[in-house]
Amino acid sequence: MSELGNPQPARRLTADTALPGDLPLDLLHSLFESLPRADQRRTGVDYVLGLLHTPGRKSARNIATLLGGRGGDQSLHHFINQSTWDWRPVRRALAAHLLSRVSVAAWVVRRTLIQKVGEHSVGVHRTFVPAVGRVLNAQQAVGVWAACREGSGPVDWELRLPRGWLDDDLRRRRASIPDSAVPETYAEQVARQCHAVVEASGLHDRPVVLDAREMNLGTVFRRLVRAGIPVLARVDGSVPLVIADPALTGHRSAPRMTAREAVRAAKGTGSPARWRDPGAPGGVRAGQLASVVVRPADGVGEWSGELSTLTLMGLIERGRQEAEQLWLTDIRTAHPASLLGLCALLERVEYDYAATAKSVGIEDYAGRSFCGWHRHMTLASVAHAVSLPSTAVTVPPGRVSPEDQRAVTACHT
């Protein structure tokens, strides 16, 4: 360790440095084919190799030290923040690569909080975070991940820009925030972003899986379902619903009840359930699963009248009665037990974010540029993708594993 407590690089990178899993360097070169100049393509490869191999924080200076003269920190800083290359074609190439390696079962939305010091990093602001119960100084981002049981990787990122940034002309100019960045609710941004990812991939039969407890459910369901994209959303227990299940005739006269009350009314239909969680002991968790057919309560938000019936699922993990999960979906033709594997993909992404994405510097961008943030997030996503274990490749491209096939097929019927 150095006097500052930072680990010294174990070795400097060379031109034949191996990628994780012995992937060839020409894979990285192919992902950067859209960059217009040869020096940009070389720097892109170097930056990703630096993200993969630099110990500790993945700053431009630390990466440059590891590169050993192949790119100074000023050169790398310019490549990320001032260069003119477009990150969007790189993301499209990354998505195509992931779709060829990962048997995508769902598109998972992950809200990402990146803590920062100071007020100059693009989009940073002070916000109350319910999960930690206090105000944090942070950037907020939304990632859309291609996910299956064996692995996941991000294919798109967007910043949540508060009005304090969008309405301040000086801030916008300094951070080069484009005119296309306009105020949106969290739900509006998620629906638009997911729609764009699904359209680009062509996989319309894969559901969007998300935690919707902090967003307007009506906006998400209305916009995605209208676009023909199935939705599987974790919801808050206070969501007002009406029971429409023929098996629960005694409760169908109630004008409305909360999601938590509706699941408890259906408790007698529950059955044992098991689902995979790579972060759990043994990789498996168990509990009780109940489901009930519902519809949105009349006059509640913008979604009442938009949807006929939905399936509400309640999941209680063994030994954790207080941590009940409630899920709402428009997928009506699949048994809830087969949908449970798709619900568990939220945990798959959480695991991969902590185990891989953070280790390749997804949170380490220190610049102030909107474009720089997007370029860094794109290259860190590339580093994440090439770090995926070979076990994520389970079936040919465009298909899903047999255990998820019933649920995905149901999304399309």
Side-chain angles (χ1 to χ4, degrees):
M1 299 284 286
S2 70
E3 294 180 1
L4 296 177
N6 293 321
Q8 294 296 327
R11 60 191 175 94
R12 290 186 173 180
L13 300 182
T14 62
D16 59 353
T17 297
L19 296 178
D22 296 324
L23 292 172
L25 273 175
D26 57 12
L27 165 64
L28 284 184
H29 288 289
S30 70
L31 293 176
F32 297 128
E33 282 182 346
S34 63
L35 274 63
R37 300 202 314 265
D39 64 308
Q40 292 175 328
R41 296 191 289 274
R42 286 193 299 270
T43 306
V45 171
D46 283 347
Y47 195 88
V48 171
L49 290 174
L51 292 173
L52 290 166
H53 292 280
T54 300
R57 189 166 175 272
K58 320 297 183 181
S59 67
R61 176 174 296 178
N62 290 344
I63 292 174
T65 299
L66 195 70
L67 291 173
R70 286 163 59 192
D73 58 337
Q74 290 301 317
S75 174
L76 292 177
H77 180 82
H78 181 273
F79 173 71
I80 295 296
N81 291 288
Q82 278 85 44
S83 187
T84 58
W85 63 274
D86 189 348
W87 65 85
R88 284 161 291 203
V90 179
R91 285 191 189 173
R92 289 194 290 270
L94 168 63
H97 166 70
L98 274 174
L99 293 179
S100 73
R101 294 197 69 219
V102 175
S103 51
V104 180
W107 306 106
V108 177
V109 176
R110 186 188 191 277
R111 192 171 190 172
T112 302
L113 198 74
I114 305 173
Q115 287 188 248
K116 294 291 180 181
V117 176
E119 58 184 25
H120 299 295
S121 296
V122 59
V124 71
H125 64 290
R126 294 182 62 77
T127 182
F128 178 75
V129 182
V132 297
R134 60 191 177 94
V135 174
L136 296 178
N137 196 61
Q139 294 169 323
Q140 292 190 58
V142 179
V144 179
W145 294 58
C148 67
R149 293 181 301 118
E150 291 79 12
S152 65
V155 297
D156 193 63
W157 291 97
E158 286 197 7
L159 269 175
R160 291 282 298 138
L161 292 171
R163 281 194 172 272
W165 280 84
L166 293 173
D167 295 343
D168 188 324
D169 290 340
L170 179 59
R171 268 183 155 183
R172 290 189 74 125
R173 286 197 304 272
R174 285 178 174 173
S176 300
I177 296 173
D179 294 339
S180 58
V182 296
E184 289 179 296
T185 66
Y186 179 31
E188 289 169 343
Q189 179 174 340
V190 166
R192 175 183 53 77
Q193 190 176 353
C194 288
H195 190 190
V197 167
V198 172
E199 285 294 315
S201 72
L203 297 179
H204 294 79
D205 58 345
R206 302 322 194 245
V208 167
V209 178
L210 72 162
D211 187 335
R213 288 176 293 178
E214 296 182 20
M215 67 174 71
N216 185 299
L217 273 177
T219 298
V220 172
F221 271 91
R222 182 172 58 85
R223 297 193 179 190
L224 292 181
V225 171
R226 279 183 176 179
I229 303 169
V231 182
L232 189 57
R234 187 172 180 184
V235 300
D236 186 78
S238 62
V239 173
L241 300 166
V242 175
I243 287 183
D245 199 318
L248 297 174
T249 54
H251 297 276
R252 294 181 66 186
S253 59
R256 68 171 65 183
M257 59 177 62
T258 66
R260 184 172 292 109
E261 291 169 340
V263 163
R264 288 175 180 172
K267 190 175 180 180
T269 67
S271 59
R274 291 166 61 86
W275 66 100
R276 295 182 62 178
D277 177 2
V284 177
R285 291 160 62 183
Q288 287 285 123
L289 178 67
S291 67
V292 58
V293 179
V294 298
R295 62 176 176 81
D298 292 337
V300 178
E302 59 180 300
W303 69 331
S304 57
E306 293 283 348
L307 299 167
S308 54
T309 57
L310 303 165
T311 296
L312 174 68
M313 301 186 298
L315 179 64
I316 300 178
E317 185 177 355
R318 184 180 298 164
R320 298 185 63 194
Q321 297 289 111
E322 77 289 349
E324 182 180 37
Q325 293 186 30
L326 300 172
W327 292 82
L328 200 60
T329 181
D330 65 313
I331 305 169
R332 289 291 319 282
T333 54
H335 191 280
S338 68
L339 296 176
L340 186 56
L342 298 178
C343 298
L345 293 179
L346 271 184
E347 293 160 348
R348 171 80 254 182
V349 167
E350 287 298 324
Y351 178 85
D352 289 343
Y353 184 87
T356 303
K358 290 182 72 171
S359 70
V360 297
I362 205 77
E363 297 181 355
D364 289 350
Y365 176 68
R368 303 179 181 183
S369 161
F370 176 90
C371 295
W373 183 87
H374 275 281
R375 293 190 185 107
H376 173 84
M377 297 299 279
T378 300
L379 298 179
S381 297
V382 169
H384 177 103
V386 300
S387 298
L388 281 176
S390 58
T391 52
V393 187
T394 56
V395 292
R399 297 181 58 192
V400 295
S401 58
E403 293 184 22
D404 292 331
Q405 185 65 57
R406 286 181 300 164
V408 172
T409 300
C411 297
H412 194 57
T413 57

PDB file of all heavy atoms in Angstrom, residues 93-124:
ATOM      1  N   ALA A  93     -23.954  -1.326 -30.150  1.00  0.00           N
ATOM      2  CA  ALA A  93     -23.064  -2.475 -30.362  1.00  0.00           C
ATOM      3  C   ALA A  93     -22.954  -3.312 -29.092  1.00  0.00           C
ATOM      4  O   ALA A  93     -22.916  -4.551 -29.143  1.00  0.00           O
ATOM      5  CB  ALA A  93     -21.683  -1.988 -30.802  1.00  0.00           C
ATOM      6  N   LEU A  94     -22.921  -2.645 -27.937  1.00  0.00           N
ATOM      7  CA  LEU A  94     -22.877  -3.358 -26.654  1.00  0.00           C
ATOM      8  C   LEU A  94     -24.136  -4.189 -26.462  1.00  0.00           C
ATOM      9  O   LEU A  94     -24.068  -5.356 -26.050  1.00  0.00           O
ATOM     10  CB  LEU A  94     -22.722  -2.353 -25.519  1.00  0.00           C
ATOM     11  CG  LEU A  94     -22.933  -2.884 -24.097  1.00  0.00           C
ATOM     12  CD1 LEU A  94     -21.885  -3.933 -23.754  1.00  0.00           C
ATOM     13  CD2 LEU A  94     -22.904  -1.735 -23.086  1.00  0.00           C
ATOM     14  N   ALA A  95     -25.300  -3.601 -26.758  1.00  0.00           N
ATOM     15  CA  ALA A  95     -26.559  -4.331 -26.605  1.00  0.00           C
ATOM     16  C   ALA A  95     -26.582  -5.549 -27.515  1.00  0.00           C
ATOM     17  O   ALA A  95     -27.008  -6.638 -27.113  1.00  0.00           O
ATOM     18  CB  ALA A  95     -27.737  -3.409 -26.901  1.00  0.00           C
ATOM     19  N   ALA A  96     -26.121  -5.386 -28.754  1.00  0.00           N
ATOM     20  CA  ALA A  96     -26.085  -6.522 -29.688  1.00  0.00           C
ATOM     21  C   ALA A  96     -25.172  -7.621 -29.158  1.00  0.00           C
ATOM     22  O   ALA A  96     -25.483  -8.817 -29.262  1.00  0.00           O
ATOM     23  CB  ALA A  96     -25.621  -6.052 -31.062  1.00  0.00           C
ATOM     24  N   HIS A  97     -24.036  -7.225 -28.581  1.00  0.00           N
ATOM     25  CA  HIS A  97     -23.118  -8.220 -28.009  1.00  0.00           C
ATOM     26  C   HIS A  97     -23.771  -8.953 -26.839  1.00  0.00           C
ATOM     27  O   HIS A  97     -23.711 -10.184 -26.744  1.00  0.00           O
ATOM     28  CB  HIS A  97     -21.837  -7.535 -27.543  1.00  0.00           C
ATOM     29  CG  HIS A  97     -20.980  -8.393 -26.660  1.00  0.00           C
ATOM     30  ND1 HIS A  97     -20.301  -9.491 -27.130  1.00  0.00           N
ATOM     31  CD2 HIS A  97     -20.716  -8.322 -25.325  1.00  0.00           C
ATOM     32  CE1 HIS A  97     -19.640 -10.057 -26.138  1.00  0.00           C
ATOM     33  NE2 HIS A  97     -19.877  -9.372 -25.032  1.00  0.00           N
ATOM     34  N   LEU A  98     -24.440  -8.192 -25.945  1.00  0.00           N
ATOM     35  CA  LEU A  98     -25.087  -8.822 -24.799  1.00  0.00           C
ATOM     36  C   LEU A  98     -26.201  -9.763 -25.229  1.00  0.00           C
ATOM     37  O   LEU A  98     -26.358 -10.855 -24.681  1.00  0.00           O
ATOM     38  CB  LEU A  98     -25.652  -7.754 -23.858  1.00  0.00           C
ATOM     39  CG  LEU A  98     -24.688  -7.190 -22.803  1.00  0.00           C
ATOM     40  CD1 LEU A  98     -25.340  -6.054 -22.054  1.00  0.00           C
ATOM     41  CD2 LEU A  98     -24.253  -8.279 -21.838  1.00  0.00           C
ATOM     42  N   LEU A  99     -26.966  -9.348 -26.238  1.00  0.00           N
ATOM     43  CA  LEU A  99     -28.064 -10.191 -26.699  1.00  0.00           C
ATOM     44  C   LEU A  99     -27.555 -11.477 -27.336  1.00  0.00           C
ATOM     45  O   LEU A  99     -28.294 -12.468 -27.425  1.00  0.00           O
ATOM     46  CB  LEU A  99     -28.940  -9.426 -27.692  1.00  0.00           C
ATOM     47  CG  LEU A  99     -29.723  -8.249 -27.104  1.00  0.00           C
ATOM     48  CD1 LEU A  99     -30.532  -7.556 -28.181  1.00  0.00           C
ATOM     49  CD2 LEU A  99     -30.623  -8.690 -25.973  1.00  0.00           C
ATOM     50  N   SER A 100     -26.302 -11.475 -27.779  1.00  0.00           N
ATOM     51  CA  SER A 100     -25.721 -12.701 -28.338  1.00  0.00           C
ATOM     52  C   SER A 100     -25.146 -13.607 -27.256  1.00  0.00           C
ATOM     53  O   SER A 100     -24.868 -14.775 -27.507  1.00  0.00           O
ATOM     54  CB  SER A 100     -24.624 -12.341 -29.349  1.00  0.00           C
ATOM     55  OG  SER A 100     -23.455 -11.860 -28.687  1.00  0.00           O
ATOM     56  N   ARG A 101     -24.958 -13.064 -26.049  1.00  0.00           N
ATOM     57  CA  ARG A 101     -24.351 -13.843 -24.968  1.00  0.00           C
ATOM     58  C   ARG A 101     -25.328 -14.180 -23.849  1.00  0.00           C
ATOM     59  O   ARG A 101     -25.220 -15.217 -23.208  1.00  0.00           O
ATOM     60  CB  ARG A 101     -23.179 -13.074 -24.338  1.00  0.00           C
ATOM     61  CG  ARG A 101     -21.990 -12.854 -25.262  1.00  0.00           C
ATOM     62  CD  ARG A 101     -20.771 -12.489 -24.441  1.00  0.00           C
ATOM     63  NE  ARG A 101     -20.315 -13.621 -23.650  1.00  0.00           N
ATOM     64  CZ  ARG A 101     -19.859 -13.522 -22.405  1.00  0.00           C
ATOM     65  NH1 ARG A 101     -19.843 -12.352 -21.807  1.00  0.00           N
ATOM     66  NH2 ARG A 101     -19.441 -14.587 -21.757  1.00  0.00           N
ATOM     67  N   VAL A 102     -26.262 -13.275 -23.573  1.00  0.00           N
ATOM     68  CA  VAL A 102     -27.182 -13.441 -22.446  1.00  0.00           C
ATOM     69  C   VAL A 102     -28.541 -13.862 -22.972  1.00  0.00           C
ATOM     70  O   VAL A 102     -29.088 -13.228 -23.880  1.00  0.00           O
ATOM     71  CB  VAL A 102     -27.310 -12.129 -21.645  1.00  0.00           C
ATOM     72  CG1 VAL A 102     -28.355 -12.279 -20.551  1.00  0.00           C
ATOM     73  CG2 VAL A 102     -25.970 -11.734 -21.045  1.00  0.00           C
ATOM     74  N   SER A 103     -29.094 -14.927 -22.426  1.00  0.00           N
ATOM     75  CA  SER A 103     -30.419 -15.395 -22.837  1.00  0.00           C
ATOM     76  C   SER A 103     -31.472 -14.512 -22.162  1.00  0.00           C
ATOM     77  O   SER A 103     -32.023 -14.846 -21.122  1.00  0.00           O
ATOM     78  CB  SER A 103     -30.612 -16.861 -22.442  1.00  0.00           C
ATOM     79  OG  SER A 103     -30.301 -17.046 -21.070  1.00  0.00           O
ATOM     80  N   VAL A 104     -31.716 -13.355 -22.747  1.00  0.00           N
ATOM     81  CA  VAL A 104     -32.499 -12.304 -22.096  1.00  0.00           C
ATOM     82  C   VAL A 104     -33.912 -12.788 -21.774  1.00  0.00           C
ATOM     83  O   VAL A 104     -34.670 -13.171 -22.658  1.00  0.00           O
ATOM     84  CB  VAL A 104     -32.569 -11.047 -22.984  1.00  0.00           C
ATOM     85  CG1 VAL A 104     -33.392  -9.963 -22.298  1.00  0.00           C
ATOM     86  CG2 VAL A 104     -31.161 -10.540 -23.286  1.00  0.00           C
ATOM     87  N   ALA A 105     -34.252 -12.756 -20.488  1.00  0.00           N
ATOM     88  CA  ALA A 105     -35.595 -13.113 -20.047  1.00  0.00           C
ATOM     89  C   ALA A 105     -36.424 -11.876 -19.750  1.00  0.00           C
ATOM     90  O   ALA A 105     -37.657 -11.931 -19.793  1.00  0.00           O
ATOM     91  CB  ALA A 105     -35.533 -14.001 -18.810  1.00  0.00           C
ATOM     92  N   ALA A 106     -35.772 -10.746 -19.443  1.00  0.00           N
ATOM     93  CA  ALA A 106     -36.509  -9.522 -19.111  1.00  0.00           C
ATOM     94  C   ALA A 106     -35.578  -8.324 -19.193  1.00  0.00           C
ATOM     95  O   ALA A 106     -34.349  -8.453 -19.164  1.00  0.00           O
ATOM     96  CB  ALA A 106     -37.115  -9.625 -17.711  1.00  0.00           C
ATOM     97  N   TRP A 107     -36.194  -7.154 -19.302  1.00  0.00           N
ATOM     98  CA  TRP A 107     -35.491  -5.877 -19.180  1.00  0.00           C
ATOM     99  C   TRP A 107     -35.742  -5.370 -17.768  1.00  0.00           C
ATOM    100  O   TRP A 107     -36.884  -5.145 -17.374  1.00  0.00           O
ATOM    101  CB  TRP A 107     -36.014  -4.865 -20.198  1.00  0.00           C
ATOM    102  CG  TRP A 107     -35.987  -5.374 -21.606  1.00  0.00           C
ATOM    103  CD1 TRP A 107     -37.056  -5.767 -22.361  1.00  0.00           C
ATOM    104  CD2 TRP A 107     -34.833  -5.544 -22.433  1.00  0.00           C
ATOM    105  NE1 TRP A 107     -36.643  -6.178 -23.600  1.00  0.00           N
ATOM    106  CE2 TRP A 107     -35.275  -6.051 -23.676  1.00  0.00           C
ATOM    107  CE3 TRP A 107     -33.465  -5.332 -22.248  1.00  0.00           C
ATOM    108  CZ2 TRP A 107     -34.412  -6.339 -24.727  1.00  0.00           C
ATOM    109  CZ3 TRP A 107     -32.603  -5.623 -23.286  1.00  0.00           C
ATOM    110  CH2 TRP A 107     -33.067  -6.110 -24.508  1.00  0.00           C
ATOM    111  N   VAL A 108     -34.689  -5.202 -17.005  1.00  0.00           N
ATOM    112  CA  VAL A 108     -34.819  -4.823 -15.600  1.00  0.00           C
ATOM    113  C   VAL A 108     -34.384  -3.368 -15.427  1.00  0.00           C
ATOM    114  O   VAL A 108     -33.317  -2.965 -15.896  1.00  0.00           O
ATOM    115  CB  VAL A 108     -33.980  -5.737 -14.691  1.00  0.00           C
ATOM    116  CG1 VAL A 108     -34.061  -5.280 -13.248  1.00  0.00           C
ATOM    117  CG2 VAL A 108     -34.467  -7.184 -14.816  1.00  0.00           C
ATOM    118  N   VAL A 109     -35.233  -2.598 -14.755  1.00  0.00           N
ATOM    119  CA  VAL A 109     -34.930  -1.195 -14.476  1.00  0.00           C
ATOM    120  C   VAL A 109     -34.306  -1.098 -13.091  1.00  0.00           C
ATOM    121  O   VAL A 109     -34.850  -1.632 -12.117  1.00  0.00           O
ATOM    122  CB  VAL A 109     -36.214  -0.338 -14.533  1.00  0.00           C
ATOM    123  CG1 VAL A 109     -35.912   1.104 -14.140  1.00  0.00           C
ATOM    124  CG2 VAL A 109     -36.834  -0.391 -15.922  1.00  0.00           C
ATOM    125  N   ARG A 110     -33.157  -0.427 -13.017  1.00  0.00           N
ATOM    126  CA  ARG A 110     -32.508  -0.219 -11.726  1.00  0.00           C
ATOM    127  C   ARG A 110     -32.257   1.263 -11.511  1.00  0.00           C
ATOM    128  O   ARG A 110     -31.585   1.913 -12.307  1.00  0.00           O
ATOM    129  CB  ARG A 110     -31.178  -0.966 -11.625  1.00  0.00           C
ATOM    130  CG  ARG A 110     -30.566  -0.870 -10.227  1.00  0.00           C
ATOM    131  CD  ARG A 110     -29.159  -1.439 -10.148  1.00  0.00           C
ATOM    132  NE  ARG A 110     -28.718  -1.556  -8.772  1.00  0.00           N
ATOM    133  CZ  ARG A 110     -28.201  -0.548  -8.062  1.00  0.00           C
ATOM    134  NH1 ARG A 110     -28.060   0.657  -8.612  1.00  0.00           N
ATOM    135  NH2 ARG A 110     -27.833  -0.745  -6.798  1.00  0.00           N
ATOM    136  N   ARG A 111     -32.814   1.795 -10.446  1.00  0.00           N
ATOM    137  CA  ARG A 111     -32.544   3.185 -10.067  1.00  0.00           C
ATOM    138  C   ARG A 111     -31.235   3.217  -9.293  1.00  0.00           C
ATOM    139  O   ARG A 111     -31.048   2.467  -8.322  1.00  0.00           O
ATOM    140  CB  ARG A 111     -33.683   3.733  -9.201  1.00  0.00           C
ATOM    141  CG  ARG A 111     -33.634   5.241  -9.001  1.00  0.00           C
ATOM    142  CD  ARG A 111     -34.900   5.723  -8.319  1.00  0.00           C
ATOM    143  NE  ARG A 111     -34.994   7.171  -8.309  1.00  0.00           N
ATOM    144  CZ  ARG A 111     -36.077   7.826  -7.905  1.00  0.00           C
ATOM    145  NH1 ARG A 111     -37.143   7.162  -7.500  1.00  0.00           N
ATOM    146  NH2 ARG A 111     -36.098   9.151  -7.924  1.00  0.00           N
ATOM    147  N   THR A 112     -30.310   4.061  -9.717  1.00  0.00           N
ATOM    148  CA  THR A 112     -28.957   4.059  -9.176  1.00  0.00           C
ATOM    149  C   THR A 112     -28.633   5.406  -8.551  1.00  0.00           C
ATOM    150  O   THR A 112     -28.804   6.452  -9.184  1.00  0.00           O
ATOM    151  CB  THR A 112     -27.940   3.746 -10.285  1.00  0.00           C
ATOM    152  OG1 THR A 112     -28.255   2.478 -10.871  1.00  0.00           O
ATOM    153  CG2 THR A 112     -26.524   3.708  -9.740  1.00  0.00           C
ATOM    154  N   LEU A 113     -28.184   5.378  -7.312  1.00  0.00           N
ATOM    155  CA  LEU A 113     -27.785   6.576  -6.586  1.00  0.00           C
ATOM    156  C   LEU A 113     -26.267   6.579  -6.484  1.00  0.00           C
ATOM    157  O   LEU A 113     -25.668   5.618  -5.998  1.00  0.00           O
ATOM    158  CB  LEU A 113     -28.413   6.565  -5.190  1.00  0.00           C
ATOM    159  CG  LEU A 113     -28.465   7.891  -4.442  1.00  0.00           C
ATOM    160  CD1 LEU A 113     -29.537   8.788  -5.041  1.00  0.00           C
ATOM    161  CD2 LEU A 113     -28.753   7.640  -2.959  1.00  0.00           C
ATOM    162  N   ILE A 114     -25.633   7.651  -6.960  1.00  0.00           N
ATOM    163  CA  ILE A 114     -24.174   7.752  -6.945  1.00  0.00           C
ATOM    164  C   ILE A 114     -23.787   8.947  -6.083  1.00  0.00           C
ATOM    165  O   ILE A 114     -23.962  10.102  -6.492  1.00  0.00           O
ATOM    166  CB  ILE A 114     -23.605   7.912  -8.372  1.00  0.00           C
ATOM    167  CG1 ILE A 114     -24.085   6.764  -9.275  1.00  0.00           C
ATOM    168  CG2 ILE A 114     -22.084   7.968  -8.337  1.00  0.00           C
ATOM    169  CD1 ILE A 114     -23.708   6.931 -10.736  1.00  0.00           C
ATOM    170  N   GLN A 115     -23.292   8.689  -4.887  1.00  0.00           N
ATOM    171  CA  GLN A 115     -22.952   9.772  -3.972  1.00  0.00           C
ATOM    172  C   GLN A 115     -21.757  10.574  -4.485  1.00  0.00           C
ATOM    173  O   GLN A 115     -20.812  10.010  -5.047  1.00  0.00           O
ATOM    174  CB  GLN A 115     -22.657   9.217  -2.578  1.00  0.00           C
ATOM    175  CG  GLN A 115     -23.894   8.740  -1.837  1.00  0.00           C
ATOM    176  CD  GLN A 115     -23.604   8.382  -0.389  1.00  0.00           C
ATOM    177  OE1 GLN A 115     -23.670   7.223  -0.012  1.00  0.00           O
ATOM    178  NE2 GLN A 115     -23.279   9.370   0.402  1.00  0.00           N
ATOM    179  N   LYS A 116     -21.808  11.883  -4.281  1.00  0.00           N
ATOM    180  CA  LYS A 116     -20.764  12.787  -4.740  1.00  0.00           C
ATOM    181  C   LYS A 116     -20.429  13.803  -3.661  1.00  0.00           C
ATOM    182  O   LYS A 116     -21.245  14.104  -2.788  1.00  0.00           O
ATOM    183  CB  LYS A 116     -21.225  13.536  -6.002  1.00  0.00           C
ATOM    184  CG  LYS A 116     -21.419  12.651  -7.228  1.00  0.00           C
ATOM    185  CD  LYS A 116     -20.100  12.116  -7.743  1.00  0.00           C
ATOM    186  CE  LYS A 116     -20.285  11.231  -8.963  1.00  0.00           C
ATOM    187  NZ  LYS A 116     -18.997  10.686  -9.452  1.00  0.00           N
ATOM    188  N   VAL A 117     -19.212  14.331  -3.751  1.00  0.00           N
ATOM    189  CA  VAL A 117     -18.785  15.425  -2.893  1.00  0.00           C
ATOM    190  C   VAL A 117     -18.872  16.706  -3.710  1.00  0.00           C
ATOM    191  O   VAL A 117     -18.452  16.740  -4.865  1.00  0.00           O
ATOM    192  CB  VAL A 117     -17.346  15.208  -2.379  1.00  0.00           C
ATOM    193  CG1 VAL A 117     -16.890  16.409  -1.563  1.00  0.00           C
ATOM    194  CG2 VAL A 117     -17.267  13.934  -1.548  1.00  0.00           C
ATOM    195  N   GLY A 118     -19.424  17.767  -3.139  1.00  0.00           N
ATOM    196  CA  GLY A 118     -19.529  19.030  -3.864  1.00  0.00           C
ATOM    197  C   GLY A 118     -20.801  19.103  -4.689  1.00  0.00           C
ATOM    198  O   GLY A 118     -21.655  18.203  -4.659  1.00  0.00           O
ATOM    199  N   GLU A 119     -20.898  20.184  -5.485  1.00  0.00           N
ATOM    200  CA  GLU A 119     -22.131  20.453  -6.214  1.00  0.00           C
ATOM    201  C   GLU A 119     -21.922  20.628  -7.711  1.00  0.00           C
ATOM    202  O   GLU A 119     -22.840  21.035  -8.420  1.00  0.00           O
ATOM    203  CB  GLU A 119     -22.788  21.717  -5.660  1.00  0.00           C
ATOM    204  CG  GLU A 119     -21.890  22.943  -5.728  1.00  0.00           C
ATOM    205  CD  GLU A 119     -22.525  24.169  -5.088  1.00  0.00           C
ATOM    206  OE1 GLU A 119     -23.391  24.002  -4.214  1.00  0.00           O
ATOM    207  OE2 GLU A 119     -22.131  25.302  -5.481  1.00  0.00           O
ATOM    208  N   HIS A 120     -20.729  20.306  -8.221  1.00  0.00           N
ATOM    209  CA  HIS A 120     -20.430  20.600  -9.622  1.00  0.00           C
ATOM    210  C   HIS A 120     -20.585  19.409 -10.565  1.00  0.00           C
ATOM    211  O   HIS A 120     -20.706  19.600 -11.778  1.00  0.00           O
ATOM    212  CB  HIS A 120     -19.014  21.167  -9.748  1.00  0.00           C
ATOM    213  CG  HIS A 120     -18.827  22.459  -8.991  1.00  0.00           C
ATOM    214  ND1 HIS A 120     -19.503  23.616  -9.323  1.00  0.00           N
ATOM    215  CD2 HIS A 120     -18.060  22.749  -7.907  1.00  0.00           C
ATOM    216  CE1 HIS A 120     -19.156  24.582  -8.475  1.00  0.00           C
ATOM    217  NE2 HIS A 120     -18.286  24.080  -7.613  1.00  0.00           N
ATOM    218  N   SER A 121     -20.565  18.174 -10.060  1.00  0.00           N
ATOM    219  CA  SER A 121     -20.776  17.023 -10.945  1.00  0.00           C
ATOM    220  C   SER A 121     -22.151  17.126 -11.577  1.00  0.00           C
ATOM    221  O   SER A 121     -23.136  17.474 -10.915  1.00  0.00           O
ATOM    222  CB  SER A 121     -20.662  15.713 -10.151  1.00  0.00           C
ATOM    223  OG  SER A 121     -19.358  15.544  -9.640  1.00  0.00           O
ATOM    224  N   VAL A 122     -22.245  16.817 -12.849  1.00  0.00           N
ATOM    225  CA  VAL A 122     -23.487  17.013 -13.584  1.00  0.00           C
ATOM    226  C   VAL A 122     -24.643  16.260 -12.915  1.00  0.00           C
ATOM    227  O   VAL A 122     -24.546  15.081 -12.598  1.00  0.00           O
ATOM    228  CB  VAL A 122     -23.327  16.561 -15.053  1.00  0.00           C
ATOM    229  CG1 VAL A 122     -22.945  15.092 -15.164  1.00  0.00           C
ATOM    230  CG2 VAL A 122     -24.597  16.846 -15.852  1.00  0.00           C
ATOM    231  N   GLY A 123     -25.736  16.989 -12.667  1.00  0.00           N
ATOM    232  CA  GLY A 123     -26.940  16.396 -12.107  1.00  0.00           C
ATOM    233  C   GLY A 123     -26.933  16.184 -10.616  1.00  0.00           C
ATOM    234  O   GLY A 123     -27.944  15.765 -10.047  1.00  0.00           O
ATOM    235  N   VAL A 124     -25.824  16.475  -9.934  1.00  0.00           N
ATOM    236  CA  VAL A 124     -25.756  16.209  -8.502  1.00  0.00           C
ATOM    237  C   VAL A 124     -26.676  17.164  -7.746  1.00  0.00           C
ATOM    238  O   VAL A 124     -26.805  18.343  -8.074  1.00  0.00           O
ATOM    239  CB  VAL A 124     -24.305  16.324  -7.991  1.00  0.00           C
ATOM    240  CG1 VAL A 124     -23.828  17.771  -7.980  1.00  0.00           C
ATOM    241  CG2 VAL A 124     -24.186  15.699  -6.610  1.00  0.00           C
TER     242      VAL A 124
END
